[in-house]
């Protein structure tokens, strides 16, 4: 199946799209996925994203069953250090992000701003928005190739220095924010002391603020990731942090190089612009499933109107 706007890259079309119209039932779809699972995972790695359309997945339980065909280990949200507030539908399936419809979520690799991240993500369209609500996806390896041409020193610095992120974590969950998960939930702590102990184990440091919120700083994390086949990807949270997190004069910039030195604004802006050029917007239809290789492709969320229900599941 082909859709307009699919992007040609050196390692194939992005995204790769399968049409499951030939299957007459969900069971048939699942059997096919089971038989082809290892090839499909390879294709997701090569292409960044595989979109499955017309595979008879209608409900959250259908989606769960389809995912299980791949025999992959679940990545548990509660063990993650994700910023987002989420609610589970099944053991594996949760609502993608509870942030309001007018909040845009910028391109990112899932949880690349933390030391614990999933290898792959599945998305499922339970209900498309009335307008908007596409999921932008972007090939991160192609981005690095393009960025190196324009800003080779910046890419070299990302490799050698890595990145550190600063976050403000509220005292209680704030579902109105795209990243409103509290420090209690994030670090599995009931008291500030417990929180500090758990942060230290993960290499985080933090400062408390008068309103009970926490400004946390991550350990040094990758700026660029090298994949097993030698491709380099922009496996970080720079674009989302730069465009979406905003700056707080009390706590400094949301992201710096690992040694604390500031980032080159011109180079980061160039990365954002190149990423926009390389982005494909998944035009959701009810029942669509997308498999995203988290090391290869970034994802985001457009604003929307209406009731949009995109479910997600993460792979360890
Ligand atoms: Fe995400």
């Amino acid at each position: 199946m082909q859709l307009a706007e699919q992007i040609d890259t050196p390692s194939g079309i992005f995204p790769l799209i399968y049409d499951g119209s030939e299957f007459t039932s969900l069971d048939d779809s699942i059997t096919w996925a089971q038989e082809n699972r290892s090839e499909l995972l390879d294709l997701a790695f090569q292409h960044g994203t595989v979109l499955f359309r017309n595979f008879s997945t209608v409900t959250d339980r259908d989606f769960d069953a389809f995912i299980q065909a791949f025999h992959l280990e679940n990545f548990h949200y509660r063990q993650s250090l994700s910023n987002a507030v989420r609610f589970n539908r099944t053991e594996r399936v949760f609502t993608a992000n509870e942030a309001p419809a007018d909040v845009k979520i910028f391109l990112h690799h899932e949880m690349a701003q933390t030391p614990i991240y999933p290898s792959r993500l599945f998305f499922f369209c339970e209900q498309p928005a009335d307008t908007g609500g596409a999921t932008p996806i972007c090939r991160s390896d192609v981005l690095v190739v393009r960025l190196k041409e324009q800003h080779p020193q910046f890419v070299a610095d990302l490799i050698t220095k890595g990145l550190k992120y600063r976050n403000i974590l509220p005292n209680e969950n704030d579902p109105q924010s795209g990243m409103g998960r509290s420090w209690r939930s994030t670090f599995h702590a009931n008291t500030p002391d417990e929180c500090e102990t758990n942060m230290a184990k993960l290499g985080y440091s933090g400062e408390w603020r008068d309103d009970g919120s926490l400004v946390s700083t991550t350990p040094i994390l990758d700026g660029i990731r090298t994949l097993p086949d030698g491709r380099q990807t922009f496996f970080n949270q720079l674009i989302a942090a730069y465009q979406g997190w905003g700056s707080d004069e009390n706590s400094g910039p949301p992201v710096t190089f690992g040694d604390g030195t500031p980032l080159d604004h011109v180079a980061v802006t160039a990365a954002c612009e190149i990423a926009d050029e390389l982005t494909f917007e998944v035009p959701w239809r009810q029942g669509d499933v997308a498999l995203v290789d988290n090391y290869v492709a970034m994802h985001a969320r457009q604003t929307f109107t209406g009731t949009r229900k995109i479910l997600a599941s993460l792979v360890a």
Side-chain angles (χ1 to χ4, degrees):
M1 177 183 260
Q2 286 194 321
L3 289 175
E5 317 287 332
Q6 270 169 288
I7 298 168
D8 251 326
T9 80
S11 61
I13 197 87
F14 176 69
L16 186 64
I17 304 175
Y18 278 96
D19 181 356
S21 298
E22 64 184 277
F23 304 120
T24 52
S25 68
L26 178 64
D27 283 349
D28 282 356
S29 297
I30 290 172
T31 302
W32 175 83
Q34 267 169 348
E35 285 169 353
N36 295 285
R37 64 180 193 270
S38 111
E39 188 190 348
L40 290 168
L41 295 173
D42 286 348
L43 287 166
F45 174 70
Q46 188 186 331
H47 292 263
T49 298
V50 181
L51 179 65
F52 302 93
R53 180 160 282 180
N54 303 322
F55 276 72
S56 306
T57 41
V58 178
T59 67
D60 48 11
R61 304 218 159 249
D62 297 345
F63 174 46
D64 189 301
F66 187 76
I67 295 164
Q68 292 201 36
F70 289 83
H71 296 204
L72 297 166
E73 188 190 340
N74 188 30
F75 179 99
H76 288 281
Y77 168 67
R78 64 178 172 275
Q79 288 159 358
S80 78
L81 301 164
S82 161
N83 307 113
V85 177
R86 286 172 177 161
F87 298 102
N88 273 75
R89 292 283 193 85
T90 73
E91 177 69 19
R92 300 189 74 126
V93 172
F94 55 85
T95 54
N97 196 310
E98 295 293 322
D102 60 351
V103 174
K104 181 179 164 113
I105 297 172
F106 294 92
L107 285 167
H108 60 281
H109 287 283
E110 192 66 20
M111 302 181 204
Q113 81 285 19
T114 83
I116 305 169
Y117 34 75
S119 63
R120 304 177 184 91
L121 305 87
F122 286 94
F123 289 113
F124 171 64
C125 179
E126 188 177 48
Q127 185 179 343
D130 291 347
T131 62
T135 293
I137 49 176
C138 174
R139 273 284 292 274
S140 190
D141 54 336
V142 183
L143 169 60
V144 170
V145 170
R146 292 270 304 273
L147 187 60
K148 259 187 188 169
E149 290 165 8
Q150 291 183 26
H151 294 279
Q153 187 57 48
F154 178 63
V155 174
D157 287 344
L158 283 174
I159 293 168
T160 55
K161 296 181 183 177
L163 294 167
K164 275 199 299 200
Y165 304 84
R166 207 169 293 197
N167 259 307
I168 300 167
L169 283 67
N171 197 12
E172 302 291 342
N173 279 344
D174 174 11
Q176 296 306 303
S177 161
M179 33 188 293
R181 193 178 181 194
S182 71
W183 56 262
R184 293 168 194 277
S185 170
T186 305
F187 292 109
H188 310 285
N190 293 314
T191 64
D193 276 353
E194 208 179 335
C195 183
E196 285 176 19
T197 305
N198 293 345
M199 277 198 295
K201 283 182 199 156
L202 294 158
Y204 279 70
S205 59
E207 279 168 53
W208 298 98
R209 304 207 303 186
D210 291 344
D211 63 0
S213 64
L214 171 72
V215 181
S216 77
T217 303
T218 67
I220 298 172
L221 301 170
D222 280 349
I224 301 282
R225 186 181 182 96
T226 302
L227 304 181
D229 65 358
R231 285 181 292 169
Q232 291 177 311
T233 64
F234 205 63
F235 190 76
N236 60 55
Q237 204 80 344
L238 256 190
I239 291 174
Y242 230 72
Q243 295 186 316
W245 293 7
S247 201
D248 179 326
E249 59 185 36
N250 296 318
S251 59
V255 53
T256 62
F257 281 121
D259 61 4
T261 54
L263 302 171
D264 174 356
H265 176 69
V266 174
V268 180
T269 304
C272 296
E273 286 169 3
I274 296 167
D276 281 345
E277 282 173 34
L278 295 173
T279 290
F280 174 87
E281 304 223 341
V282 177
W284 291 116
R285 272 208 227 148
Q286 205 285 324
D288 283 353
V289 173
L291 165 58
V292 178
D293 190 305
N294 194 36
Y295 298 133
V296 182
M298 293 188 277
H299 64 278
R301 190 193 78 179
Q302 289 293 12
T303 59
F304 61 94
T305 64
T307 305
R308 174 191 189 265
K309 289 284 175 198
I310 301 294
L311 308 182
S313 181
L314 306 178
V315 177

